[in-house]
């Protein structure tokens, strides 16, 4: 998600090996930060979560750590649960996106023992839900004009027909290993849809996006889970289906596969936090001060992600463009000398 401890250790070794082969290698701090002394004598390790906004925030954080604070950085690629376990063990220092309202059990356990810390919001206004393209429910050729809510989906299996299981519709869930996959799977059961819809789990975030884009280009129906911030929801016209109002107790039970099945409820508007390993926090208080002040919005991040997609920017290029365009924002995250170093590295002086 041998003993659990040995499995976890083995998973970390494999992840580190694969990252060494294909992923980011330690990045040397820019010479613009040569007069900055990093509080650590090793690279700062970021959690390389497997979705676009996390990659973007990692690139922003890495640029700041390197050029404002003189730190080398690296990242370990992976999914939420194994990287959360790595954060708890100290293999990872920083996780730039901890979805507070969809916390993996691994995070809850690590937080309860004090091995990880939530140091404040990255962005406070993330939305999650089940979506369909607007042309599915509106317009003269809409195949499901009366589809308003998740409860209506039982009447529309043929509209969202799964070609591999023609008797069912297809629901595009989020990825296995993400906390939302568990929530959505349990929602299918709670809404009485588990026997009517295939619970399809794309292998990557890119595969989910590709399926939605392919369907919308051909004006085909598709039912899918998604979230903000996301360039996809800025690029297509989609409608979020109505759900029963959020209730904390019911939603908490949806997150736990071992809990009795509750009624289905909507996702809350999520505050997405920055999480850190506690030993790292104690060793590098000035970095924690900057990360605690680091805060964006869903709208700001969505704009950066849309630019990444439209202009074919790397996460690092998008981070630089964001930092250049939003100097007053990040200058408030750090002392003036550190901000001056970053400004010089970005060519803003």
């Amino acid at each position: 998600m041998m003993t659990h401890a040995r499995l976890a250790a083995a998973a970390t070794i494999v992840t580190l090996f694969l990252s060494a082969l294909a992923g980011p290698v330690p990045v040397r701090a820019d010479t613009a930060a040569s007069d900055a002394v990093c509080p650590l004598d090793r690279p700062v390790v970021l959690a390389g979560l497997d979705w676009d906004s996390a990659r973007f925030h990692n690139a922003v954080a890495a640029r700041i750590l390197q050029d404002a604070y003189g730190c080398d950085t690296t990242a370990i690629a992976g999914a939420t649960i194994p990287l959360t376990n790595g954060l708890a063990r100290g293999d990872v220092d920083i996780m730039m996106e901890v979805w507070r309202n969809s916390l993996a059990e691994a995070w809850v356990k690590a937080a309860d023992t004090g091995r990880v810390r939530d140091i404040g919001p990255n962005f406070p206004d993330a939305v999650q839900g089940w979506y369909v393209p607007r042309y599915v429910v509106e317009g003269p050729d809409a195949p499901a004009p009366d589809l308003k809510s998740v409860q209506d989906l039982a009447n529309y299996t043929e509209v969202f027909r799964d070609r591999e299981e023609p008797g069912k519709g297809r629901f595009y869930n989020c990825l296995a290993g993400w906390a939302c996959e568990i929530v959505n799977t349990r929602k299918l059961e709670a809404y009485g849809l588990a026997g009517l819809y295939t619970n399809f789990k794309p292998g990557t975030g890119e595969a989910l996006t590709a399926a939605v884009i392919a369907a919308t280009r051909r004006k085909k129906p598709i039912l899918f889970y998604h979230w903000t911030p996301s360039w996809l929801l800025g690029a297509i016209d989609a409608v979020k289906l109505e759900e029963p109002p959020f209730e904390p107790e019911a939603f908490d039970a949806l997150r736990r596969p071992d809990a009795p099945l509750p009624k289905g409820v909507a996702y809350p508007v999520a505050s997405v936090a920055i999480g850190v390993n506690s030993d790292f926090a104690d060793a590098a208080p000035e970095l924690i001060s900057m990360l605690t002040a680091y805060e964006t919005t869903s709208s700001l991040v969505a704009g950066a992600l849309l630019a990444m997609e439209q202009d074919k920017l790397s996460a690092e290029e998008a981070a630089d463009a964001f930092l250049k365009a939003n100097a007053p924002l990040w200058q408030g995250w750090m002392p003036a000398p550190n901000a001056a170093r970053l400004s010089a590295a970005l060519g803003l002086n």
Side-chain angles (χ1 to χ4, degrees), residues 29-39 60-73 286-287 290 323 330-331 333-346:
D30 191 272
T31 53
S34 59
D35 58 338
V37 178
C38 183
V60 173
R63 185 72 142 124
I64 292 170
L65 290 167
Q66 292 160 24
D67 291 319
Y69 289 88
C71 296
D72 301 334
T73 65
E286 62 189 281
L287 301 185
M290 179 273 293
L323 290 166
W330 55 258
Q331 286 168 351
W333 299 346
M334 65 194 75
N338 301 85
R341 296 182 190 109
L342 182 54
S343 292
L346 292 167

Side-chain angles (χ1 to χ4, degrees), residues 101-102 183 246-255 265-268:
N101 298 110
S102 301
V183 172
F246 168 74
E247 294 181 17
E249 289 186 7
F251 189 79
D252 182 64
L254 287 171
R255 295 191 297 110
V265 295
Y267 284 93

Side-chain angles (χ1 to χ4, degrees), residues 218-231:
R218 294 178 295 140
K219 289 273 190 167
K220 298 291 185 183
I222 186 169
L223 169 65
F224 62 98
Y225 161 85
H226 218 68
W227 64 92
T228 62
S230 163
W231 72 262

Side-chain angles (χ1 to χ4, degrees), residues 55-237:
R55 295 185 186 103
F56 164 75
H57 283 294
N58 272 9
V60 173
R63 185 72 142 124
I64 292 170
L65 290 167
Q66 292 160 24
D67 291 319
Y69 289 88
C71 296
D72 301 334
T73 65
T74 189
I76 296 177
T80 302
I81 293 173
L83 286 174
T84 299
N85 288 331
L87 191 73
R89 288 191 301 270
D91 303 326
V92 175
D93 297 312
I94 303 168
M95 183 175 283
M96 291 300 294
E97 289 195 15
V98 176
W99 286 67
R100 285 171 166 162
N101 298 110
S102 301
L103 292 174
E105 187 176 359
W107 174 272
V108 175
K109 289 181 177 178
D112 286 346
T113 60
R115 290 176 292 164
V116 299
R117 299 179 195 171
D118 174 335
I119 59 169
N122 181 335
F123 46 94
D125 53 352
V127 175
Q128 302 172 76
W130 294 11
Y131 291 83
V132 297
R134 188 173 298 277
Y135 57 74
V136 171
V137 296
E138 295 182 11
D141 299 321
D146 296 323
L147 174 58
K148 307 295 182 186
S149 72
V150 293
Q151 287 92 344
D152 299 328
L153 286 170
N155 302 322
Y156 292 101
T157 55
E158 186 58 29
V159 170
F160 301 106
R161 185 170 66 91
D162 188 333
R163 287 178 295 177
E164 296 177 12
E165 293 190 62
K168 293 184 176 182
R170 174 177 284 197
F171 168 64
Y172 283 82
N173 202 335
C174 61
L175 283 60
W178 291 19
C180 52
E181 181 267 321
I182 295 171
V183 172
N184 288 333
T185 296
R186 303 237 315 147
K187 282 190 180 190
L188 283 171
E189 298 177 35
Y191 293 140
L193 301 173
L196 300 175
Y197 281 81
T198 302
N199 185 10
F200 186 81
K201 304 167 190 175
T204 64
E206 289 80 4
L208 174 59
T209 298
V212 176
I213 290 296
T216 55
R217 283 177 177 166
R218 294 178 295 140
K219 289 273 190 167
K220 298 291 185 183
I222 186 169
L223 169 65
F224 62 98
Y225 161 85
H226 218 68
W227 64 92
T228 62
S230 163
W231 72 262
L232 177 66
L233 293 180
I236 68 169
D237 190 7

Side-chain angles (χ1 to χ4, degrees), residues 304-329:
L305 299 181
L306 188 58
M308 281 176 64
E309 175 62 21
Q310 292 179 335
D311 300 333
K312 304 304 177 188
L313 303 179
S314 67
E316 291 73 22
E317 290 169 333
D320 279 6
F322 173 83
L323 290 166
K324 289 177 181 178
N326 293 280
L329 175 67

